[in-house]
Amino acid sequence: MTPLTEMPRWRTDDLYAGLDDVRFESDLQALSTDVGELERLFDRLDIRQDGAAVTAGALAQTLDQLNDLTRRLGQIRAYINAFTSTDSRDTLAQQKMGQLTTLALPLGPLHSRLTAWVGDLSDPELQALLDGSETLRGHEHFLRLSVRYARHQMSPAEEELAALLRPSGAGGWAKLHGNFTSQLRGEYRGESLPVTALRALATDPDEAVRRDAYHAELKVWQESDTVTAACMNGVKGESGTLARRRGFAEPLEVSLLGNGIDRATLDAMQGAVVRSLPDFRRYFAAKARALGKERLDWWDLFAPLGESQTEWTYQAGAKFVEQQFRGYSAKLGDFAARAFAEDWVDAGPRDGKRGGAFCMGWQGDASRILMNHSPSLDSVSTLAHELGHGYHNLVKAERTPLQKQTPMTLAETASIFCETIVQNAALAQATGPEKLYVLETQLLGHAQVVVDIHSRFLFERAVFEKRAERDLTAQELCDLMTGAQRESYGDVLATLHPYMWAVKPHYYGSTFYNYPYTFGLLFGLGLYAQYEQARAQGQEAEFQRRYDDLLSRTGLADARTLAQDFGIDLHAPDFWEGSLNLIRRQIDDYERAVRG
């Protein structure tokens, strides 16, 4: 365990001694051999469109072998990522990631062949296979989803070509964006700082510090926008082209299928979001008054308000998180204690380390968590959020890799729930200026996930429309970004951030990697409200059992099916309004706290 006086770094030597470990190299080579064996299995069983008849035995054998390979591949990818994400200048790690990407290339075409093979089945034929095999019944959701994907496949040759070109196409552009931006630096008051450090100054209590850091950051993005614009055009150009070739009306449809929701669910949620924007503007206006300004500038969005009597060091935050998790259940508390004792967390910012935070599966039921801690309740909330992802991994541990595949909409359920536990506990203990501090932390996060995410959704939709015609210049991307921000924030901001499209890595890794966060927040808040009701009725143990069961099945059913088990109708605007009403009440409390 890391000494208490240090900012912890995650442990990697429980898997291998290092990237030059002979066991690591042996396992990497074994993966290459096993990929070849899987290819030969596909050829032997004639798994392809219009191939051999699908039998329960052949399909079960294929899924078993694919699951085993995927599990070992994921573990090695996580190990290498533990190095590339914390030091983008680690050339050996970059080489190993490139080697892994290359050896895994055949898996894309193989997945396409499997999808096309299963996609030829009629519903009665598929049901007959499911009835005859326990393995197949356990993968029913994956198989039925494969049938749906099969309707949107290009020819086998085109699918294979698309998969083989991805590392040098959209995948290459995404990798370039991540590596390039992690090394950017800017001049701030005579000192050269990583761009992540400049962005971290947005939480400084001194407006002059925030303003100067904002301008220094914008200068960095402006000077590098030739590269970032090329990355954006490359990623969105490929995504849009493939969506059209696969018969989708628009790229958003690709995202809806991948995220396990339908258009009616998205429309119900987005309609509620738009109706909530005037309430969030009440929050922004109140914050401006508290800061003594008529309107907020962009550099004020993360400005602290209120006063915390707690020094939120990483160690203090970890202790608080564990205590509050244990207040929910012994299982969740023990989980957090284990994560800290076994050094799952890489906590502190440093040069070459990627910004933001994430959680990745490691081995067995363990995870690894990356964050960039700053001494604030917001960072403590981030820790709770990422531990929530780790808890989700824990309860899914007995599932196969194909059963664990969770859409982003549901992937945020446990993280939002855990974050809410911690924030509500902090609010319950707070009085006076500290209450304003906690409310500010909560609403700042909610505003990002509802209002700013809405701007990102609008921006991405506009980019896809324009990119279908031609490449977009950096200035055009900036104009689309500020236009989306104005539509979302309204007139409460005097200054915008034209380069948020370059800042956020989400645009480069996936299609519409934004609205699922809003879904996760509002779905998680809705579940938390049910937990509080169950606790008041003395039924919290039953809720916890059902909640863990839901988390364990997020790869076994779509979101609407799982929600129905909790009496939630995702097509009903009332559900989304109910979750947003919880936030509206926080805004009411915030306005009262500002008035003093």
Side-chain angles (χ1 to χ4, degrees):
M1 184 175 179
T2 302
L4 291 178
T5 55
E6 298 179 12
M7 192 81 83
R9 298 190 181 191
W10 52 27
R11 182 183 179 188
T12 59
D13 63 1
D14 55 334
L15 277 182
Y16 303 101
L19 291 167
D20 54 357
D21 188 337
V22 292
R23 287 194 310 109
F24 170 76
E25 189 60 37
S26 175
D27 287 351
L28 194 59
Q29 292 302 321
L31 274 179
S32 182
T33 301
D34 292 343
V35 169
E37 289 183 1
L38 187 63
E39 287 183 293
R40 288 188 287 275
L41 175 70
F42 272 58
D43 291 341
R44 186 169 68 253
L45 297 178
D46 198 21
I47 297 175
R48 58 180 176 82
Q49 188 175 19
D50 301 323
V54 182
T55 66
L59 186 52
Q61 180 185 3
T62 303
L63 295 184
D64 285 342
Q65 198 158 325
L66 186 58
N67 273 318
D68 179 65
L69 180 60
T70 302
R71 177 186 59 78
R72 291 184 290 116
L73 180 68
Q75 186 169 295
I76 287 184
R77 179 178 286 116
Y79 183 74
I80 300 173
N81 193 41
F83 294 89
T84 58
S85 61
T86 53
D87 184 3
S88 61
R89 295 182 177 85
D90 188 330
T91 55
L92 180 58
Q94 296 288 355
Q95 290 169 3
K96 294 301 181 183
M97 187 61 81
Q99 184 180 346
L100 182 68
T101 300
T102 300
L103 72 84
L105 277 177
L107 294 180
L110 291 181
H111 275 284
S112 297
R113 287 172 61 179
L114 177 60
T115 298
W117 191 48
V118 173
D120 287 338
L121 295 170
S122 66
D123 191 65
E125 289 172 334
L126 177 57
Q127 189 59 55
L129 292 173
L130 294 171
D131 292 341
S133 169
E134 184 178 350
T135 296
L136 299 188
R137 285 196 298 276
H139 292 82
E140 179 177 359
H141 181 62
F142 169 79
L143 293 171
R144 292 196 181 279
L145 197 57
S146 296
V147 172
R148 293 184 63 190
Y149 272 113
R151 301 171 191 157
H152 293 284
Q153 281 212 314
M154 302 180 290
S155 70
E158 287 174 315
E159 287 292 347
E160 180 178 13
L161 182 61
L164 293 175
L165 288 177
R166 181 166 179 80
S168 55
W173 288 115
K175 182 179 179 180
L176 172 62
H177 178 269
N179 290 338
F180 177 70
T181 57
S182 71
Q183 298 177 26
L184 291 176
R185 303 180 70 87
E187 289 297 318
Y188 172 78
R189 298 184 175 182
E191 183 181 2
S192 175
L193 294 177
V195 71
T196 51
L198 290 174
R199 288 186 54 74
L201 292 174
T203 63
D204 195 277
D206 185 340
E207 182 178 3
V209 171
R210 300 194 306 270
R211 183 186 62 243
D212 291 352
Y214 164 85
H215 287 298
E217 181 204 344
L218 249 59
K219 187 171 186 292
V220 173
W221 295 119
Q222 184 176 19
E223 291 174 347
S224 58
D225 64 10
T226 299
V227 175
T228 51
C231 293
M232 179 69 77
N233 279 298
V235 169
K236 298 311 177 190
E238 179 178 309
S239 297
T241 298
L242 288 176
R244 290 190 295 274
R245 292 287 296 180
R246 287 174 173 146
F248 291 99
E250 58 176 329
L252 179 58
E253 289 190 354
V254 183
S255 171
L256 292 173
L257 180 57
N259 282 310
I261 65 172
D262 57 15
R263 190 60 179 261
T265 296
L266 179 66
D267 288 346
M269 182 187 78
Q270 290 291 78
V273 164
V274 171
R275 289 189 294 275
S276 76
L277 294 179
D279 295 291
F280 279 98
R281 290 165 192 163
R282 288 195 291 122
Y283 155 63
F284 293 128
K287 182 168 185 175
R289 290 194 299 273
L291 292 172
K293 304 180 71 167
E294 289 189 12
R295 290 193 294 168
L296 292 177
D297 286 291
W298 189 274
W299 56 79
D300 298 319
L301 286 174
F302 294 91
L305 277 183
E307 296 178 11
S308 176
Q309 303 303 313
T310 305
E311 185 182 359
W312 290 112
T313 63
Y314 173 79
Q315 285 74 22
K319 181 179 180 181
F320 186 74
V321 166
E322 182 182 338
Q323 288 174 340
Q324 304 316 317
F325 279 14
R326 200 169 296 284
Y328 169 78
S329 74
K331 181 179 178 181
L332 187 60
D334 290 344
F335 163 78
R338 176 188 168 199
F340 299 139
E342 295 180 3
D343 286 332
W344 290 10
V345 184
D346 195 291
R350 57 187 181 275
D351 196 19
K353 181 178 176 179
R354 62 160 284 179
F358 68 81
C359 174
M360 62 180 177
W362 191 245
Q363 63 172 335
D365 61 358
S367 297
R368 290 295 182 268
I369 292 167
L370 178 142
M371 60 182 296
N372 286 269
H373 180 80
S374 61
S376 66
L377 180 59
D378 184 56
S379 256
V380 177
S381 298
T382 297
L383 176 61
H385 182 104
E386 298 306 332
L387 282 168
H389 285 301
Y391 185 75
H392 198 169
N393 290 339
L394 178 82
V395 298
K396 289 192 301 181
E398 299 304 314
R399 305 293 188 189
T400 69
L402 295 178
Q403 292 172 333
K404 291 179 183 177
Q405 293 178 351
T406 297
M408 249 209 73
T409 42
L410 296 172
E412 295 300 315
T413 303
S415 55
I416 294 295
F417 195 93
C418 286
E419 189 176 349
T420 304
I421 289 173
V422 166
Q423 290 187 346
N424 283 1
L427 184 60
Q429 298 177 15
T431 58
E434 181 135 17
K435 183 174 183 180
L436 177 60
Y437 171 82
V438 177
L439 282 168
E440 167 64 23
T441 300
Q442 285 187 304
L443 288 173
L444 187 156
H446 293 339
Q448 283 293 297
V449 176
V450 178
V451 183
D452 200 69
I453 286 290
H454 186 60
S455 76
R456 299 183 214 176
F457 174 79
L458 296 176
F459 167 80
E460 187 161 1
R461 191 171 62 185
V463 167
F464 271 119
E465 290 174 0
K466 300 290 186 182
R467 183 62 184 82
E469 303 169 3
R470 58 175 173 79
D471 277 7
L472 299 175
T473 66
Q475 185 57 54
E476 287 174 312
L477 292 170
C478 288
D479 291 342
L480 291 177
M481 188 79 260
T482 53
Q485 289 168 353
R486 287 191 191 94
E487 185 171 346
S488 299
Y489 286 92
D491 60 358
V492 296
L493 295 183
T495 313
L496 301 173
H497 194 312
Y499 282 99
M500 286 305 293
W501 60 268
V503 174
K504 296 297 180 182
H506 308 74
Y507 293 121
Y508 304 87
S510 186
T511 299
F512 287 100
Y513 195 171
N514 36 57
Y515 71 81
Y517 281 109
T518 309
F519 182 104
L521 171 66
L522 300 183
F523 187 58
L525 287 177
L527 286 176
Y528 192 84
Q530 290 202 12
Y531 159 66
E532 289 191 317
Q533 184 178 6
R535 184 175 60 181
Q537 297 170 350
Q539 298 174 352
E540 56 188 309
E542 174 61 15
F543 174 89
Q544 290 163 358
R545 182 195 64 77
R546 294 173 61 215
Y547 174 70
D548 280 6
D549 179 63
L550 180 148
L551 293 180
S552 75
R553 295 189 296 118
T554 51
L556 302 183
D558 62 32
R560 194 172 185 217
T561 299
L562 292 171
Q564 286 171 343
D565 292 343
F566 276 81
I568 295 170
D569 180 6
L570 297 181
H571 286 179
D574 287 350
F575 168 71
W576 304 107
E577 291 289 353
S579 294
L580 286 161
N581 283 340
L582 298 174
I583 301 176
R584 288 183 175 103
R585 287 196 286 273
Q586 291 175 343
I587 294 173
D588 293 341
D589 289 342
Y590 185 89
E591 288 183 310
R592 284 191 289 270
V594 167
R595 286 195 297 266

Coordinates of all heavy atoms in Angstrom, one line a residue, residues 346-373:
D346 N -4.2 5.6 -9.7 CA -3.1 6.5 -10.0 C -3.7 7.9 -9.9 O -4.5 8.3 -10.8 CB -2.6 6.2 -11.4 CG -1.3 6.8 -11.7 OD1 -1.2 8.1 -11.8 OD2 -0.3 6.1 -11.9
A347 N -3.3 8.6 -8.8 CA -4.1 9.7 -8.4 C -3.7 11.1 -8.9 O -4.5 12.0 -9.2 CB -4.2 9.8 -6.9
G348 N -2.4 11.3 -9.0 CA -1.9 12.7 -9.2 C -1.6 13.1 -10.6 O -1.2 12.2 -11.4
P349 N -1.7 14.4 -11.0 CA -1.3 14.8 -12.3 C 0.2 14.9 -12.5 O 0.9 15.1 -11.5 CB -2.0 16.2 -12.4 CG -2.0 16.7 -11.0 CD -2.3 15.5 -10.1
R350 N 0.6 14.6 -13.7 CA 2.1 14.8 -13.9 C 2.2 14.9 -15.5 O 1.4 14.6 -16.2 CB 2.9 13.6 -13.4 CG 2.5 12.2 -13.8 CD 3.3 11.2 -13.0 NE 3.0 9.8 -13.4 CZ 2.0 9.1 -12.9 NH1 1.2 9.7 -12.0 NH2 1.9 7.9 -13.3
D351 N 3.4 15.4 -15.8 CA 3.7 15.6 -17.2 C 3.6 14.3 -18.0 O 4.2 13.3 -17.6 CB 5.1 16.3 -17.4 CG 5.3 16.9 -18.7 OD1 4.3 17.1 -19.4 OD2 6.5 17.1 -19.1
G352 N 2.9 14.3 -19.2 CA 2.8 13.2 -20.0 C 1.7 12.3 -19.7 O 1.3 11.4 -20.4
K353 N 1.0 12.5 -18.5 CA -0.1 11.7 -18.1 C -1.4 12.3 -18.8 O -1.5 13.6 -18.8 CB -0.3 11.7 -16.6 CG -1.4 10.9 -16.1 CD -1.5 10.9 -14.6 CE -2.7 10.2 -14.0 NZ -2.7 10.2 -12.5
R354 N -2.3 11.5 -19.3 CA -3.5 12.0 -19.9 C -4.4 12.6 -18.9 O -4.4 12.3 -17.7 CB -4.3 10.9 -20.6 CG -4.8 9.8 -19.8 CD -5.9 9.0 -20.5 NE -7.1 9.8 -20.4 CZ -8.3 9.4 -20.9 NH1 -8.3 8.2 -21.6 NH2 -9.4 10.1 -20.8
G355 N -5.2 13.6 -19.3 CA -6.1 14.3 -18.4 C -7.3 13.5 -18.1 O -7.5 12.4 -18.6
G356 N -8.2 14.1 -17.2 CA -9.4 13.4 -16.9 C -9.3 12.3 -16.0 O -8.4 12.2 -15.2
A357 N -10.2 11.3 -16.1 CA -10.3 10.2 -15.3 C -10.9 9.0 -16.0 O -11.8 9.2 -16.9 CB -11.0 10.5 -14.0
F358 N -10.6 7.8 -15.6 CA -11.2 6.6 -16.2 C -11.0 5.4 -15.3 O -10.1 5.4 -14.4 CB -10.8 6.3 -17.6 CG -9.4 5.9 -17.8 CD1 -9.0 4.5 -17.5 CD2 -8.4 6.7 -18.2 CE1 -7.7 4.1 -17.7 CE2 -7.1 6.3 -18.4 CZ -6.7 5.0 -18.1
C359 N -11.8 4.4 -15.5 CA -11.6 3.1 -14.8 C -11.5 2.0 -15.8 O -12.3 2.0 -16.8 CB -12.7 2.9 -13.8 SG -12.7 1.2 -13.0
M360 N -10.6 1.1 -15.7 CA -10.5 0.0 -16.6 C -10.4 -1.3 -15.8 O -9.8 -1.4 -14.8 CB -9.3 0.1 -17.6 CG -7.9 0.2 -16.9 SD -6.6 0.4 -18.1 CE -5.2 0.4 -17.0
G361 N -11.0 -2.4 -16.4 CA -10.8 -3.7 -15.8 C -9.4 -4.1 -15.8 O -8.6 -3.8 -16.8
W362 N -9.0 -4.9 -14.9 CA -7.6 -5.3 -14.7 C -7.5 -6.8 -14.9 O -7.3 -7.4 -16.0 CB -7.0 -4.8 -13.4 CG -5.5 -4.9 -13.2 CD1 -4.8 -5.7 -12.4 CD2 -4.5 -4.2 -14.0 NE1 -3.5 -5.5 -12.5 CE2 -3.3 -4.6 -13.5 CE3 -4.6 -3.3 -15.0 CZ2 -2.1 -4.1 -14.0 CZ3 -3.4 -2.8 -15.5 CH2 -2.1 -3.2 -15.0
Q363 N -7.6 -7.6 -13.8 CA -7.7 -9.0 -13.9 C -8.7 -9.5 -12.8 O -8.8 -8.9 -11.8 CB -6.3 -9.6 -13.6 CG -5.7 -9.4 -12.2 CD -4.5 -10.2 -12.0 OE1 -4.3 -11.3 -12.6 NE2 -3.6 -9.7 -11.1
G364 N -9.4 -10.6 -13.2 CA -10.4 -11.1 -12.3 C -11.5 -10.0 -12.0 O -12.0 -9.4 -12.9
D365 N -11.7 -9.7 -10.7 CA -12.7 -8.7 -10.4 C -12.0 -7.3 -10.0 O -12.7 -6.5 -9.4 CB -13.6 -9.2 -9.2 CG -12.8 -9.5 -8.0 OD1 -11.6 -9.3 -8.0 OD2 -13.4 -9.8 -7.0
A366 N -10.7 -7.2 -10.3 CA -10.0 -6.0 -9.9 C -10.1 -5.0 -11.1 O -10.3 -5.3 -12.2 CB -8.6 -6.3 -9.6
S367 N -9.8 -3.7 -10.7 CA -9.8 -2.6 -11.7 C -8.6 -1.7 -11.5 O -7.9 -1.9 -10.5 CB -11.1 -1.8 -11.6 OG -12.2 -2.5 -11.9
R368 N -8.4 -0.8 -12.4 CA -7.4 0.3 -12.2 C -8.1 1.6 -12.5 O -8.9 1.7 -13.5 CB -6.2 0.1 -13.1 CG -5.3 -1.1 -12.6 CD -4.7 -0.9 -11.3 NE -3.8 -2.0 -10.8 CZ -4.2 -3.0 -10.1 NH1 -5.5 -3.2 -9.8 NH2 -3.3 -3.9 -9.7
I369 N -7.8 2.6 -11.7 CA -8.4 3.9 -11.8 C -7.4 5.0 -12.0 O -6.4 5.1 -11.3 CB -9.3 4.2 -10.6 CG1 -10.5 3.3 -10.5 CG2 -9.7 5.7 -10.5 CD1 -11.1 3.2 -9.2
L370 N -7.6 5.8 -13.1 CA -6.7 7.0 -13.3 C -7.5 8.2 -13.0 O -8.7 8.3 -13.4 CB -6.2 7.0 -14.8 CG -5.4 8.2 -15.2 CD1 -4.2 7.7 -16.1 CD2 -6.2 9.3 -15.9
M371 N -6.9 9.2 -12.3 CA -7.5 10.5 -12.1 C -6.4 11.5 -12.0 O -5.2 11.2 -11.9 CB -8.4 10.4 -10.9 CG -7.7 10.1 -9.6 SD -8.8 10.0 -8.1 CE -9.3 11.7 -8.0
N372 N -6.8 12.8 -11.9 CA -5.8 13.9 -11.7 C -6.3 14.7 -10.6 O -7.0 15.7 -10.7 CB -5.7 14.7 -13.0 CG -5.0 14.0 -14.1 OD1 -3.7 14.1 -14.2 ND2 -5.7 13.2 -14.9
H373 N -6.0 14.2 -9.4 CA -6.6 14.8 -8.1 C -6.1 16.3 -7.9 O -5.0 16.6 -8.1 CB -6.1 14.0 -6.9 CG -6.7 14.5 -5.6 ND1 -8.0 14.3 -5.2 CD2 -6.1 15.3 -4.7 CE1 -8.2 14.9 -4.1 NE2 -7.1 15.5 -3.7

